[in-house]
Amino acid sequence: MSAVLRGADGTRLSVDHGLCSGTGHCQEAAPGAFRLADRRAWPAEGLDLAAADHAGLRRAADACPWYAITFTPGGNG
Amino acid sequence: MPEMTPEATRGAADQAGPAVPVFKPYTAKADFPWEELARDRSRCPVAHSEHLDAVQISSYAGVKEVMNKVAEAFTGTYSTLWPLTEPLPVDQQVFPSADPPRHTRQRKLFVKALSASRIAHMRPFSERLAERLLDGILARGTGFDLVTAYSRRISEGHIAELLGLPEELRERFMYLSTLTELSTADGKGMGYRAELDEWQAQLAGMVRERRAAGEDSDDLITRLCFAEDEGDRLSELEVASLIRAMIRAGNTTSAAALTNTVAALERHPEQKAKYLADIEGLTPSLVEEGLRYDGPALGLWRRCARETTVQGYPLTPGDRVFTVTAAANHDPEVYDRPDEFLIDRDWKELPPHLTFGWGIHHCIGVNLARLELETSLAALYRRLPGLRLEPGAEIPQVPGPVFRNWLSLPMVFDPVSTGAGR
Ligand code: SF4
């Protein structure tokens, strides 16, 4: 079970809810890109993935201590 | 050094150079160290401590900065529990004492089994265990030691269930896991070496046997025995060290968290009354406050591996640092009324306490620990009427700089009428 968001340019951000444990490292690494609810992280509502800070999202994926985040830039990102 | 008021100390520091830490956990570990720690945190949040022979870091920002920089500038291979002068043998570098990429490989073996969703399935087990232990306590009279009759039973029951530990080994393993805690008292860890080494060998033997028997069960130990890393199995000793670390961490730390929370609640009658009036609603925030106010870790050791700074304080390779989690959790920059125990703080709005750490080594047992604490605290206060500390009982604190744990907590409760219906 995962929370997945796709951008107009094919960029994809997912949080694997079989792993996520709600620690919030992703929020700190990529401010504004995630919200926490029910001890799980979700891509923030209205997040425009094509325009988002990709370096921050990559940092979030690296920082997750549960390896729950997959970030795949699309287009020429 | 004579007792000084904070003002006097500051005056003396002005004349005699930079302030030095007053926290002395080896020789004068106070049952309530918050005042000394507050003094260090405000006067010298990052400073060399002669007593610890290490750079002592006591502010929230400083401790978190170390945790964030662990991968780039620090190593845990000299152990986080003892201030060793040589790295641990490679096969014994596990979890906090392993660095990436070794650490990442080990951690990946555990994240699924310990994830929030997987641990949530253990809730019925967890509730049954607490009820069963309390049935026993109620049947035996109106007094008991919380530590031996409840806290340790709760934590060993959970970790044994998770790992799939055979019944006949449980008692001995749980006893051995408490030796690790005692061995941190003098910073050398020598006193119990022989017994702990023997345990390691016994666990390695168990790994060998499981491997010989084949992969016929789905418990965590079996899965570890057969886990592969790029086609290679982990060494027997590495698997043994991982199991040992899981038992140690799973057993002693969550038992301490439970004991410490009960001790805090019993010493704050107005908070306890509040809790009894809304056990269901307040259990999650009681758990977080217990972990913040008096969590099972006082502090941890690390060693600087690459030139860096912490809050501007320069560190060079080989420097030993001691991060005082307990001080960070009482930092007034982060928490209002930090030295007060307030069970209804709004944790959705507060920065996380650092009891579970932060960064790549964030406690992997966090979900299990929260589950255990929630079910066991709620059941304890629901089932035992008039529960209180035994009047006049002396309660000892574990020695040394690393752990916070009341070693026994004698308690009494009112007799329950055992009429029909129970
Ligand atoms: S960092 Fe990972 S585990 Fe923590 S909340 Fe974000 S996705 Fe979940």
Side-chain angles (χ1 to χ4, degrees):
Chain A
M1 179 190 37
S2 295
V4 185
L5 186 69
R6 285 194 176 77
D9 63 346
T11 299
R12 186 178 179 279
L13 176 67
S14 73
V15 181
D16 183 341
H17 283 178
L19 294 171
C20 172
S21 294
T23 60
H25 292 72
C26 49
Q27 283 188 315
E28 190 170 284
F34 297 89
R35 72 184 168 89
L36 285 186
D38 190 25
R39 288 186 186 165
R40 310 280 195 286
W42 312 72
E45 258 149 80
L47 177 70
D48 178 355
L49 268 186
D53 168 17
H54 286 194
L57 291 170
R58 225 170 275 129
R59 268 201 311 277
D62 287 346
C64 174
W66 262 262
Y67 317 111
I69 300 176
T70 314
F71 172 64
T72 332
N76 26 5
Chain B
M1 189 165 67
E3 252 315 289
M4 291 190 203
T5 63
E7 284 69 24
T9 322
R10 208 172 297 131
D14 287 345
Q15 291 153 24
V20 291
V22 296
F23 178 53
K24 299 212 166 30
Y26 283 127
T27 49
K29 181 176 174 180
D31 284 357
F32 297 93
W34 320 126
E35 236 171 85
E36 288 162 42
L37 290 174
R39 229 190 281 180
D40 286 355
R41 195 178 48 229
S42 66
R43 290 161 57 245
C44 49
V46 184
H48 187 267
S49 158
E50 227 162 276
H51 177 80
L52 289 168
D53 188 19
V55 176
Q56 174 186 304
I57 303 173
S58 52
S59 64
Y60 186 97
V63 171
K64 190 158 173 200
E65 188 177 349
V66 171
M67 290 171 172
N68 269 325
K69 286 184 171 169
V70 145
E72 68 182 63
F74 295 91
T75 176
T77 57
Y78 287 71
S79 159
T80 52
L81 300 181
W82 307 279
L84 302 183
T85 51
E86 300 286 329
L88 289 163
V90 170
D91 281 326
Q92 291 181 34
Q93 294 174 12
V94 293
F95 294 129
S97 59
D99 295 339
R102 185 184 178 77
H103 166 260
T104 318
R105 166 167 70 79
Q106 292 172 349
R107 192 172 170 105
K108 281 191 169 156
L109 299 173
F110 287 86
V111 280
K112 214 179 193 96
L114 288 159
S115 68
S117 51
R118 197 63 90 76
I119 293 298
H121 292 305
M122 279 180 82
R123 189 169 283 269
F125 163 84
S126 184
E127 285 168 348
R128 273 198 313 275
L129 176 62
E131 295 295 335
R132 189 162 52 78
L133 291 172
L134 290 166
D135 286 343
I137 289 169
L138 279 160
R140 284 193 301 269
T142 57
F144 66 108
D145 175 17
L146 185 89
V147 175
T148 49
Y150 198 59
S151 303
R152 288 214 183 119
R153 297 305 189 99
I154 289 281
S155 60
E156 69 187 37
H158 282 83
I159 197 69
E161 169 84 3
L162 182 83
L163 288 171
L165 273 188
E167 199 71 49
E168 66 276 13
L169 295 176
R170 288 187 184 187
E171 205 170 315
R172 169 122 183 101
F173 282 11
M174 297 309 154
Y175 158 73
L176 288 163
S177 75
T178 62
L179 294 187
T180 314
E181 183 176 89
L182 295 174
S183 77
T184 61
D186 60 1
K188 297 188 187 76
M190 298 310 286
Y192 305 95
R193 250 290 152 55
E195 260 183 302
L196 290 173
D197 282 351
E198 190 193 313
W199 186 21
Q200 177 84 356
Q202 189 183 7
L203 284 167
M206 183 169 96
V207 173
R208 207 173 312 130
E209 281 167 27
R210 293 260 177 137
R211 282 181 170 167
E215 194 171 3
D216 61 350
S217 121
D218 190 37
D219 62 74
L220 196 46
I221 291 182
T222 305
R223 269 186 280 146
L224 285 176
C225 289
F226 290 90
E228 292 192 351
D229 177 49
E230 296 178 351
D232 290 330
R233 279 192 195 159
L234 310 187
S235 77
E236 276 164 18
L237 278 177
E238 187 176 358
V239 178
S241 300
L242 287 167
I243 297 169
R244 188 168 84 158
M246 288 291 290
I247 294 175
R248 184 191 56 66
N251 191 28
T252 54
T253 54
S254 46
L258 174 53
T259 305
N260 295 2
T261 302
V262 172
L265 202 53
E266 293 302 327
R267 285 173 155 150
H268 295 82
E270 69 312 332
Q271 298 296 313
K272 181 178 165 184
K274 204 186 278 179
Y275 182 54
L276 291 177
D278 183 12
I279 290 181
E280 187 135 347
L282 287 169
T283 296
S285 58
L286 167 66
V287 166
E288 290 315 301
E289 180 66 348
L291 290 163
R292 180 199 74 83
Y293 176 81
D294 197 4
L298 189 52
L300 287 179
W301 303 99
R302 286 198 186 278
R303 192 176 164 109
C304 177
R306 268 171 294 278
E307 212 136 299
T308 189
T309 58
V310 174
Q311 302 293 292
Y313 185 104
L315 292 173
T316 49
D319 284 348
R320 189 183 285 146
V321 301
F322 186 74
T323 47
V324 196
T325 319
N329 284 343
H330 285 234
D331 192 332
E333 295 282 322
V334 181
Y335 304 107
D336 274 345
R337 299 156 73 191
D339 293 340
E340 291 176 46
F341 180 71
L342 303 170
I343 66 165
D344 54 357
R345 292 184 194 264
D346 182 3
W347 284 97
K348 282 203 180 64
E349 299 302 321
L350 287 170
H353 56 70
L354 297 179
T355 299
F356 292 127
W358 188 258
I360 62 166
H361 290 291
H362 190 276
C363 172
I364 201 166
V366 54
N367 300 303
L368 184 63
R370 284 204 175 104
L371 171 68
E372 286 179 35
L373 290 168
E374 285 175 13
T375 56
S376 62
L377 283 165
L380 180 71
Y381 281 95
R382 233 182 244 133
R383 294 276 311 270
L384 302 184
L387 181 67
R388 58 204 178 269
L389 292 181
E390 187 186 296
E394 296 263 325
I395 64 173
Q397 178 63 223
V398 70
V402 173
F403 293 107
R404 283 283 301 171
N405 187 8
W406 303 104
L407 291 172
S408 81
L409 205 65
M411 302 193 83
V412 290
F413 54 92
D414 299 333
V416 188
S417 59
T418 46
R422 262 230 73 89

